[in-house]
PDB file of all heavy atoms in Angstrom:
ATOM      1  N   ARG A   1     126.816 103.882  69.016  1.00  0.00           N
ATOM      2  CA  ARG A   1     125.903 102.816  69.394  1.00  0.00           C
ATOM      3  C   ARG A   1     125.390 103.077  70.810  1.00  0.00           C
ATOM      4  O   ARG A   1     126.144 103.424  71.690  1.00  0.00           O
ATOM      5  CB  ARG A   1     126.598 101.456  69.296  1.00  0.00           C
ATOM      6  CG  ARG A   1     125.709 100.301  69.627  1.00  0.00           C
ATOM      7  CD  ARG A   1     126.454  98.988  69.448  1.00  0.00           C
ATOM      8  NE  ARG A   1     125.598  97.835  69.717  1.00  0.00           N
ATOM      9  CZ  ARG A   1     125.975  96.568  69.595  1.00  0.00           C
ATOM     10  NH1 ARG A   1     127.226  96.281  69.260  1.00  0.00           N
ATOM     11  NH2 ARG A   1     125.120  95.594  69.876  1.00  0.00           N
ATOM     12  N   ILE A   2     124.105 102.854  71.002  1.00  0.00           N
ATOM     13  CA  ILE A   2     123.504 102.969  72.306  1.00  0.00           C
ATOM     14  C   ILE A   2     123.185 101.575  72.837  1.00  0.00           C
ATOM     15  O   ILE A   2     122.582 100.766  72.166  1.00  0.00           O
ATOM     16  CB  ILE A   2     122.180 103.798  72.241  1.00  0.00           C
ATOM     17  CG1 ILE A   2     122.505 105.236  71.830  1.00  0.00           C
ATOM     18  CG2 ILE A   2     121.461 103.770  73.581  1.00  0.00           C
ATOM     19  CD1 ILE A   2     121.275 106.095  71.620  1.00  0.00           C
ATOM     20  N   TYR A   3     123.615 101.321  74.078  1.00  0.00           N
ATOM     21  CA  TYR A   3     123.378 100.022  74.708  1.00  0.00           C
ATOM     22  C   TYR A   3     122.148 100.027  75.610  1.00  0.00           C
ATOM     23  O   TYR A   3     121.366  99.090  75.582  1.00  0.00           O
ATOM     24  CB  TYR A   3     124.619  99.608  75.495  1.00  0.00           C
ATOM     25  CG  TYR A   3     125.839  99.402  74.633  1.00  0.00           C
ATOM     26  CD1 TYR A   3     126.780 100.429  74.456  1.00  0.00           C
ATOM     27  CD2 TYR A   3     126.061  98.191  73.994  1.00  0.00           C
ATOM     28  CE1 TYR A   3     127.900 100.227  73.676  1.00  0.00           C
ATOM     29  CE2 TYR A   3     127.177  97.994  73.184  1.00  0.00           C
ATOM     30  CZ  TYR A   3     128.097  99.017  73.029  1.00  0.00           C
ATOM     31  OH  TYR A   3     129.191  98.833  72.227  1.00  0.00           O
ATOM     32  N   THR A   4     122.052 101.081  76.393  1.00  0.00           N
ATOM     33  CA  THR A   4     120.939 101.156  77.352  1.00  0.00           C
ATOM     34  C   THR A   4     120.489 102.608  77.521  1.00  0.00           C
ATOM     35  O   THR A   4     121.327 103.514  77.565  1.00  0.00           O
ATOM     36  CB  THR A   4     121.370 100.620  78.735  1.00  0.00           C
ATOM     37  OG1 THR A   4     121.842  99.275  78.598  1.00  0.00           O
ATOM     38  CG2 THR A   4     120.212 100.626  79.690  1.00  0.00           C
ATOM     39  N   MET A   5     119.191 102.788  77.609  1.00  0.00           N
ATOM     40  CA  MET A   5     118.626 104.099  77.950  1.00  0.00           C
ATOM     41  C   MET A   5     117.624 103.880  79.085  1.00  0.00           C
ATOM     42  O   MET A   5     116.906 102.899  79.084  1.00  0.00           O
ATOM     43  CB  MET A   5     117.900 104.712  76.742  1.00  0.00           C
ATOM     44  CG  MET A   5     118.773 104.897  75.498  1.00  0.00           C
ATOM     45  SD  MET A   5     117.932 105.728  74.145  1.00  0.00           S
ATOM     46  CE  MET A   5     118.002 107.441  74.720  1.00  0.00           C
ATOM     47  N   GLY A   6     117.634 104.788  80.024  1.00  0.00           N
ATOM     48  CA  GLY A   6     116.759 104.594  81.153  1.00  0.00           C
ATOM     49  C   GLY A   6     116.485 105.828  81.934  1.00  0.00           C
ATOM     50  O   GLY A   6     117.018 106.907  81.677  1.00  0.00           O
ATOM     51  N   TRP A   7     115.612 105.665  82.942  1.00  0.00           N
ATOM     52  CA  TRP A   7     115.231 106.746  83.824  1.00  0.00           C
ATOM     53  C   TRP A   7     115.463 106.332  85.265  1.00  0.00           C
ATOM     54  O   TRP A   7     115.128 105.236  85.698  1.00  0.00           O
ATOM     55  CB  TRP A   7     113.743 107.086  83.654  1.00  0.00           C
ATOM     56  CG  TRP A   7     113.426 107.729  82.347  1.00  0.00           C
ATOM     57  CD1 TRP A   7     113.056 107.140  81.189  1.00  0.00           C
ATOM     58  CD2 TRP A   7     113.497 109.144  82.070  1.00  0.00           C
ATOM     59  NE1 TRP A   7     112.878 108.086  80.202  1.00  0.00           N
ATOM     60  CE2 TRP A   7     113.141 109.307  80.698  1.00  0.00           C
ATOM     61  CE3 TRP A   7     113.812 110.278  82.829  1.00  0.00           C
ATOM     62  CZ2 TRP A   7     113.080 110.588  80.109  1.00  0.00           C
ATOM     63  CZ3 TRP A   7     113.783 111.508  82.238  1.00  0.00           C
ATOM     64  CH2 TRP A   7     113.409 111.652  80.891  1.00  0.00           C
ATOM     65  N   TYR A   8     116.080 107.244  86.013  1.00  0.00           N
ATOM     66  CA  TYR A   8     116.291 107.094  87.454  1.00  0.00           C
ATOM     67  C   TYR A   8     115.634 108.255  88.141  1.00  0.00           C
ATOM     68  O   TYR A   8     115.335 109.284  87.557  1.00  0.00           O
ATOM     69  CB  TYR A   8     117.797 107.065  87.776  1.00  0.00           C
ATOM     70  CG  TYR A   8     118.494 105.818  87.350  1.00  0.00           C
ATOM     71  CD1 TYR A   8     118.714 105.517  86.027  1.00  0.00           C
ATOM     72  CD2 TYR A   8     118.963 104.901  88.294  1.00  0.00           C
ATOM     73  CE1 TYR A   8     119.354 104.343  85.620  1.00  0.00           C
ATOM     74  CE2 TYR A   8     119.614 103.736  87.934  1.00  0.00           C
ATOM     75  CZ  TYR A   8     119.812 103.477  86.585  1.00  0.00           C
ATOM     76  OH  TYR A   8     120.455 102.315  86.216  1.00  0.00           O
ATOM     77  N   ARG A   9     115.394 108.099  89.441  1.00  0.00           N
ATOM     78  CA  ARG A   9     114.833 109.201  90.206  1.00  0.00           C
ATOM     79  C   ARG A   9     115.464 109.281  91.590  1.00  0.00           C
ATOM     80  O   ARG A   9     115.937 108.282  92.101  1.00  0.00           O
ATOM     81  CB  ARG A   9     113.298 109.081  90.319  1.00  0.00           C
ATOM     82  CG  ARG A   9     112.829 107.895  91.175  1.00  0.00           C
ATOM     83  CD  ARG A   9     111.332 107.763  91.125  1.00  0.00           C
ATOM     84  NE  ARG A   9     110.813 106.682  91.934  1.00  0.00           N
ATOM     85  CZ  ARG A   9     109.553 106.254  91.945  1.00  0.00           C
ATOM     86  NH1 ARG A   9     108.658 106.856  91.157  1.00  0.00           N
ATOM     87  NH2 ARG A   9     109.186 105.239  92.726  1.00  0.00           N
ATOM     88  N   GLN A  10     115.431 110.470  92.144  1.00  0.00           N
ATOM     89  CA  GLN A  10     115.988 110.703  93.474  1.00  0.00           C
ATOM     90  C   GLN A  10     115.070 111.633  94.230  1.00  0.00           C
ATOM     91  O   GLN A  10     114.884 112.791  93.821  1.00  0.00           O
ATOM     92  CB  GLN A  10     117.409 111.245  93.401  1.00  0.00           C
ATOM     93  CG  GLN A  10     118.085 111.337  94.746  1.00  0.00           C
ATOM     94  CD  GLN A  10     119.589 111.592  94.613  1.00  0.00           C
ATOM     95  OE1 GLN A  10     120.037 112.075  93.599  1.00  0.00           O
ATOM     96  NE2 GLN A  10     120.332 111.228  95.637  1.00  0.00           N
ATOM     97  N   ALA A  11     114.516 111.147  95.319  1.00  0.00           N
ATOM     98  CA  ALA A  11     113.690 111.960  96.208  1.00  0.00           C
ATOM     99  C   ALA A  11     114.579 112.515  97.322  1.00  0.00           C
ATOM    100  O   ALA A  11     115.638 111.958  97.627  1.00  0.00           O
ATOM    101  CB  ALA A  11     112.568 111.122  96.789  1.00  0.00           C
ATOM    102  N   PRO A  12     114.150 113.607  97.965  1.00  0.00           N
ATOM    103  CA  PRO A  12     114.937 114.197  99.061  1.00  0.00           C
ATOM    104  C   PRO A  12     115.244 113.165 100.147  1.00  0.00           C
ATOM    105  O   PRO A  12     114.344 112.474 100.614  1.00  0.00           O
ATOM    106  CB  PRO A  12     114.049 115.313  99.559  1.00  0.00           C
ATOM    107  CG  PRO A  12     113.219 115.694  98.385  1.00  0.00           C
ATOM    108  CD  PRO A  12     112.940 114.422  97.668  1.00  0.00           C
ATOM    109  N   GLY A  13     116.517 113.092 100.535  1.00  0.00           N
ATOM    110  CA  GLY A  13     116.926 112.178 101.591  1.00  0.00           C
ATOM    111  C   GLY A  13     117.022 110.725 101.168  1.00  0.00           C
ATOM    112  O   GLY A  13     117.261 109.868 102.038  1.00  0.00           O
ATOM    113  N   LYS A  14     116.846 110.419  99.901  1.00  0.00           N
ATOM    114  CA  LYS A  14     116.915 109.032  99.436  1.00  0.00           C
ATOM    115  C   LYS A  14     117.978 108.884  98.362  1.00  0.00           C
ATOM    116  O   LYS A  14     118.409 109.857  97.729  1.00  0.00           O
ATOM    117  CB  LYS A  14     115.549 108.606  98.897  1.00  0.00           C
ATOM    118  CG  LYS A  14     114.416 108.516  99.927  1.00  0.00           C
ATOM    119  CD  LYS A  14     113.166 107.971  99.348  1.00  0.00           C
ATOM    120  CE  LYS A  14     112.073 107.828 100.377  1.00  0.00           C
ATOM    121  NZ  LYS A  14     110.828 107.257  99.776  1.00  0.00           N
ATOM    122  N   GLN A  15     118.377 107.643  98.147  1.00  0.00           N
ATOM    123  CA  GLN A  15     119.342 107.328  97.098  1.00  0.00           C
ATOM    124  C   GLN A  15     118.653 107.352  95.747  1.00  0.00           C
ATOM    125  O   GLN A  15     117.442 107.146  95.623  1.00  0.00           O
ATOM    126  CB  GLN A  15     119.962 105.965  97.325  1.00  0.00           C
ATOM    127  CG  GLN A  15     120.884 105.877  98.548  1.00  0.00           C
ATOM    128  CD  GLN A  15     121.527 104.534  98.660  1.00  0.00           C
ATOM    129  OE1 GLN A  15     120.897 103.483  98.408  1.00  0.00           O
ATOM    130  NE2 GLN A  15     122.803 104.530  99.055  1.00  0.00           N
ATOM    131  N   ARG A  16     119.467 107.626  94.717  1.00  0.00           N
ATOM    132  CA  ARG A  16     118.948 107.552  93.371  1.00  0.00           C
ATOM    133  C   ARG A  16     118.601 106.090  93.027  1.00  0.00           C
ATOM    134  O   ARG A  16     119.398 105.182  93.329  1.00  0.00           O
ATOM    135  CB  ARG A  16     119.970 108.107  92.372  1.00  0.00           C
ATOM    136  CG  ARG A  16     119.459 108.234  90.963  1.00  0.00           C
ATOM    137  CD  ARG A  16     120.475 108.981  90.077  1.00  0.00           C
ATOM    138  NE  ARG A  16     120.729 110.323  90.546  1.00  0.00           N
ATOM    139  CZ  ARG A  16     121.499 111.197  89.900  1.00  0.00           C
ATOM    140  NH1 ARG A  16     122.058 110.871  88.761  1.00  0.00           N
ATOM    141  NH2 ARG A  16     121.669 112.405  90.404  1.00  0.00           N
ATOM    142  N   GLU A  17     117.460 105.882  92.409  1.00  0.00           N
ATOM    143  CA  GLU A  17     117.010 104.517  92.124  1.00  0.00           C
ATOM    144  C   GLU A  17     116.548 104.400  90.693  1.00  0.00           C
ATOM    145  O   GLU A  17     116.069 105.370  90.086  1.00  0.00           O
ATOM    146  CB  GLU A  17     115.890 104.110  93.088  1.00  0.00           C
ATOM    147  CG  GLU A  17     114.625 104.940  92.941  1.00  0.00           C
ATOM    148  CD  GLU A  17     113.484 104.478  93.829  1.00  0.00           C
ATOM    149  OE1 GLU A  17     113.655 103.492  94.560  1.00  0.00           O
ATOM    150  OE2 GLU A  17     112.412 105.105  93.798  1.00  0.00           O
ATOM    151  N   LEU A  18     116.633 103.191  90.181  1.00  0.00           N
ATOM    152  CA  LEU A  18     116.144 102.899  88.844  1.00  0.00           C
ATOM    153  C   LEU A  18     114.627 102.959  88.803  1.00  0.00           C
ATOM    154  O   LEU A  18     113.954 102.396  89.668  1.00  0.00           O
ATOM    155  CB  LEU A  18     116.602 101.514  88.397  1.00  0.00           C
ATOM    156  CG  LEU A  18     115.997 100.976  87.111  1.00  0.00           C
ATOM    157  CD1 LEU A  18     116.552 101.730  85.906  1.00  0.00           C
ATOM    158  CD2 LEU A  18     116.254  99.487  86.974  1.00  0.00           C
ATOM    159  N   VAL A  19     114.089 103.626  87.798  1.00  0.00           N
ATOM    160  CA  VAL A  19     112.656 103.591  87.540  1.00  0.00           C
ATOM    161  C   VAL A  19     112.370 102.589  86.421  1.00  0.00           C
ATOM    162  O   VAL A  19     111.566 101.677  86.580  1.00  0.00           O
ATOM    163  CB  VAL A  19     112.110 104.970  87.165  1.00  0.00           C
ATOM    164  CG1 VAL A  19     110.613 104.894  86.863  1.00  0.00           C
ATOM    165  CG2 VAL A  19     112.393 105.986  88.261  1.00  0.00           C
ATOM    166  N   ALA A  20     113.054 102.748  85.295  1.00  0.00           N
ATOM    167  CA  ALA A  20     112.899 101.863  84.167  1.00  0.00           C
ATOM    168  C   ALA A  20     114.055 102.045  83.214  1.00  0.00           C
ATOM    169  O   ALA A  20     114.602 103.129  83.118  1.00  0.00           O
ATOM    170  CB  ALA A  20     111.586 102.119  83.437  1.00  0.00           C
ATOM    171  N   ASP A  21     114.418 101.000  82.508  1.00  0.00           N
ATOM    172  CA  ASP A  21     115.368 101.129  81.440  1.00  0.00           C
ATOM    173  C   ASP A  21     115.043 100.175  80.307  1.00  0.00           C
ATOM    174  O   ASP A  21     114.246  99.251  80.461  1.00  0.00           O
ATOM    175  CB  ASP A  21     116.842 100.956  81.920  1.00  0.00           C
ATOM    176  CG  ASP A  21     117.154  99.614  82.498  1.00  0.00           C
ATOM    177  OD1 ASP A  21     116.418  98.643  82.269  1.00  0.00           O
ATOM    178  OD2 ASP A  21     118.201  99.492  83.179  1.00  0.00           O
ATOM    179  N   ILE A  22     115.670 100.414  79.163  1.00  0.00           N
ATOM    180  CA  ILE A  22     115.432  99.591  77.978  1.00  0.00           C
ATOM    181  C   ILE A  22     116.764  99.475  77.229  1.00  0.00           C
ATOM    182  O   ILE A  22     117.492 100.449  77.090  1.00  0.00           O
ATOM    183  CB  ILE A  22     114.333 100.234  77.110  1.00  0.00           C
ATOM    184  CG1 ILE A  22     114.044  99.352  75.870  1.00  0.00           C
ATOM    185  CG2 ILE A  22     114.700 101.645  76.657  1.00  0.00           C
ATOM    186  CD1 ILE A  22     112.765  99.755  75.142  1.00  0.00           C
ATOM    187  N   ASN A  23     117.082  98.260  76.804  1.00  0.00           N
ATOM    188  CA  ASN A  23     118.349  98.064  76.128  1.00  0.00           C
ATOM    189  C   ASN A  23     118.145  97.972  74.607  1.00  0.00           C
ATOM    190  O   ASN A  23     117.067  98.102  74.101  1.00  0.00           O
ATOM    191  CB  ASN A  23     119.100  96.844  76.673  1.00  0.00           C
ATOM    192  CG  ASN A  23     118.402  95.529  76.395  1.00  0.00           C
ATOM    193  OD1 ASN A  23     117.525  95.435  75.542  1.00  0.00           O
ATOM    194  ND2 ASN A  23     118.774  94.510  77.158  1.00  0.00           N
ATOM    195  N   SER A  24     119.267  97.731  73.909  1.00  0.00           N
ATOM    196  CA  SER A  24     119.235  97.751  72.445  1.00  0.00           C
ATOM    197  C   SER A  24     118.412  96.623  71.889  1.00  0.00           C
ATOM    198  O   SER A  24     117.937  96.690  70.746  1.00  0.00           O
ATOM    199  CB  SER A  24     120.669  97.647  71.892  1.00  0.00           C
ATOM    200  OG  SER A  24     121.329  96.463  72.358  1.00  0.00           O
ATOM    201  N   GLY A  25     118.196  95.564  72.661  1.00  0.00           N
ATOM    202  CA  GLY A  25     117.363  94.452  72.251  1.00  0.00           C
ATOM    203  C   GLY A  25     115.902  94.633  72.633  1.00  0.00           C
ATOM    204  O   GLY A  25     115.120  93.702  72.481  1.00  0.00           O
ATOM    205  N   ASP A  26     115.567  95.804  73.173  1.00  0.00           N
ATOM    206  CA  ASP A  26     114.200  96.183  73.541  1.00  0.00           C
ATOM    207  C   ASP A  26     113.702  95.512  74.805  1.00  0.00           C
ATOM    208  O   ASP A  26     112.512  95.585  75.117  1.00  0.00           O
ATOM    209  CB  ASP A  26     113.233  95.965  72.417  1.00  0.00           C
ATOM    210  CG  ASP A  26     113.486  96.864  71.216  1.00  0.00           C
ATOM    211  OD1 ASP A  26     113.959  97.986  71.403  1.00  0.00           O
ATOM    212  OD2 ASP A  26     113.197  96.414  70.067  1.00  0.00           O
ATOM    213  N   SER A  27     114.565  94.823  75.530  1.00  0.00           N
ATOM    214  CA  SER A  27     114.162  94.303  76.812  1.00  0.00           C
ATOM    215  C   SER A  27     114.058  95.436  77.832  1.00  0.00           C
ATOM    216  O   SER A  27     114.857  96.375  77.778  1.00  0.00           O
ATOM    217  CB  SER A  27     115.097  93.219  77.300  1.00  0.00           C
ATOM    218  OG  SER A  27     116.379  93.725  77.557  1.00  0.00           O
ATOM    219  N   THR A  28     113.144  95.332  78.756  1.00  0.00           N
ATOM    220  CA  THR A  28     112.890  96.420  79.711  1.00  0.00           C
ATOM    221  C   THR A  28     112.977  95.921  81.145  1.00  0.00           C
ATOM    222  O   THR A  28     112.794  94.741  81.443  1.00  0.00           O
ATOM    223  CB  THR A  28     111.500  97.026  79.492  1.00  0.00           C
ATOM    224  OG1 THR A  28     110.481  96.006  79.617  1.00  0.00           O
ATOM    225  CG2 THR A  28     111.400  97.662  78.101  1.00  0.00           C
ATOM    226  N   ASN A  29     113.271  96.858  82.026  1.00  0.00           N
ATOM    227  CA  ASN A  29     113.262  96.608  83.452  1.00  0.00           C
ATOM    228  C   ASN A  29     112.479  97.733  84.160  1.00  0.00           C
ATOM    229  O   ASN A  29     112.630  98.905  83.770  1.00  0.00           O
ATOM    230  CB  ASN A  29     114.683  96.576  84.017  1.00  0.00           C
ATOM    231  CG  ASN A  29     115.499  95.419  83.499  1.00  0.00           C
ATOM    232  OD1 ASN A  29     115.159  94.268  83.710  1.00  0.00           O
ATOM    233  ND2 ASN A  29     116.572  95.729  82.777  1.00  0.00           N
ATOM    234  N   TYR A  30     111.681  97.390  85.132  1.00  0.00           N
ATOM    235  CA  TYR A  30     110.913  98.354  85.889  1.00  0.00           C
ATOM    236  C   TYR A  30     111.080  98.134  87.376  1.00  0.00           C
ATOM    237  O   TYR A  30     111.168  96.983  87.832  1.00  0.00           O
ATOM    238  CB  TYR A  30     109.425  98.265  85.555  1.00  0.00           C
ATOM    239  CG  TYR A  30     109.053  98.609  84.135  1.00  0.00           C
ATOM    240  CD1 TYR A  30     108.941  97.657  83.159  1.00  0.00           C
ATOM    241  CD2 TYR A  30     108.805  99.947  83.789  1.00  0.00           C
ATOM    242  CE1 TYR A  30     108.610  97.976  81.868  1.00  0.00           C
ATOM    243  CE2 TYR A  30     108.462 100.283  82.492  1.00  0.00           C
ATOM    244  CZ  TYR A  30     108.350  99.313  81.528  1.00  0.00           C
ATOM    245  OH  TYR A  30     108.014  99.643  80.241  1.00  0.00           O
ATOM    246  N   ALA A  31     111.109  99.213  88.111  1.00  0.00           N
ATOM    247  CA  ALA A  31     111.050  99.100  89.558  1.00  0.00           C
ATOM    248  C   ALA A  31     109.699  98.529  89.950  1.00  0.00           C
ATOM    249  O   ALA A  31     108.686  98.826  89.320  1.00  0.00           O
ATOM    250  CB  ALA A  31     111.272 100.468  90.200  1.00  0.00           C
ATOM    251  N   ASP A  32     109.686  97.728  91.012  1.00  0.00           N
ATOM    252  CA  ASP A  32     108.431  97.156  91.452  1.00  0.00           C
ATOM    253  C   ASP A  32     107.373  98.193  91.749  1.00  0.00           C
ATOM    254  O   ASP A  32     106.191  97.986  91.539  1.00  0.00           O
ATOM    255  CB  ASP A  32     108.675  96.281  92.691  1.00  0.00           C
ATOM    256  CG  ASP A  32     109.405  95.006  92.386  1.00  0.00           C
ATOM    257  OD1 ASP A  32     109.425  94.579  91.209  1.00  0.00           O
ATOM    258  OD2 ASP A  32     109.994  94.415  93.311  1.00  0.00           O
ATOM    259  N   SER A  33     107.820  99.344  92.246  1.00  0.00           N
ATOM    260  CA  SER A  33     106.888 100.383  92.659  1.00  0.00           C
ATOM    261  C   SER A  33     106.156 101.041  91.493  1.00  0.00           C
ATOM    262  O   SER A  33     105.158 101.723  91.712  1.00  0.00           O
ATOM    263  CB  SER A  33     107.630 101.456  93.461  1.00  0.00           C
ATOM    264  OG  SER A  33     108.651 102.049  92.695  1.00  0.00           O
ATOM    265  N   VAL A  34     106.640 100.867  90.256  1.00  0.00           N
ATOM    266  CA  VAL A  34     106.024 101.507  89.116  1.00  0.00           C
ATOM    267  C   VAL A  34     105.473 100.526  88.095  1.00  0.00           C
ATOM    268  O   VAL A  34     104.866 100.949  87.109  1.00  0.00           O
ATOM    269  CB  VAL A  34     106.988 102.500  88.411  1.00  0.00           C
ATOM    270  CG1 VAL A  34     107.533 103.507  89.380  1.00  0.00           C
ATOM    271  CG2 VAL A  34     108.125 101.717  87.730  1.00  0.00           C
ATOM    272  N   LYS A  35     105.672  99.253  88.313  1.00  0.00           N
ATOM    273  CA  LYS A  35     105.151  98.262  87.383  1.00  0.00           C
ATOM    274  C   LYS A  35     103.661  98.376  87.225  1.00  0.00           C
ATOM    275  O   LYS A  35     102.931  98.485  88.220  1.00  0.00           O
ATOM    276  CB  LYS A  35     105.519  96.844  87.834  1.00  0.00           C
ATOM    277  CG  LYS A  35     106.975  96.486  87.625  1.00  0.00           C
ATOM    278  CD  LYS A  35     107.252  95.050  88.061  1.00  0.00           C
ATOM    279  CE  LYS A  35     108.715  94.679  87.820  1.00  0.00           C
ATOM    280  NZ  LYS A  35     109.026  93.320  88.286  1.00  0.00           N
ATOM    281  N   GLY A  36     103.195  98.382  85.989  1.00  0.00           N
ATOM    282  CA  GLY A  36     101.777  98.530  85.715  1.00  0.00           C
ATOM    283  C   GLY A  36     101.349  99.960  85.577  1.00  0.00           C
ATOM    284  O   GLY A  36     100.226 100.215  85.096  1.00  0.00           O
ATOM    285  N   ARG A  37     102.179 100.916  85.969  1.00  0.00           N
ATOM    286  CA  ARG A  37     101.834 102.313  85.895  1.00  0.00           C
ATOM    287  C   ARG A  37     102.727 103.081  84.942  1.00  0.00           C
ATOM    288  O   ARG A  37     102.356 104.175  84.489  1.00  0.00           O
ATOM    289  CB  ARG A  37     101.916 102.979  87.279  1.00  0.00           C
ATOM    290  CG  ARG A  37     101.018 102.375  88.305  1.00  0.00           C
ATOM    291  CD  ARG A  37     100.962 103.190  89.597  1.00  0.00           C
ATOM    292  NE  ARG A  37     102.259 103.233  90.255  1.00  0.00           N
ATOM    293  CZ  ARG A  37     102.966 104.344  90.481  1.00  0.00           C
ATOM    294  NH1 ARG A  37     102.471 105.498  90.098  1.00  0.00           N
ATOM    295  NH2 ARG A  37     104.122 104.278  91.100  1.00  0.00           N
TER     296      ARG A  37
END
């Protein structure tokens, strides 16, 4: 069973951060910096 699938990113000198994820109920989360894109 899969609960959550998502994408994170890490730029040089920065912490790894959430870009977007989606759970088994199809709800999604997006970083503010990528919403709409």
Side-chain angles (χ1 to χ4, degrees):
R1 183 177 182 179
I2 296 175
Y3 297 95
T4 303
M5 303 183 77
W7 291 92
Y8 289 70
R9 68 186 181 188
Q10 187 167 22
K14 295 185 177 181
Q15 293 183 320
R16 187 173 299 184
E17 64 177 359
L18 171 72
V19 180
D21 62 17
I22 183 168
N23 66 18
S24 59
D26 294 329
S27 64
T28 58
N29 295 297
Y30 295 94
D32 289 339
S33 60
V34 304
K35 285 182 178 178
R37 300 189 296 119

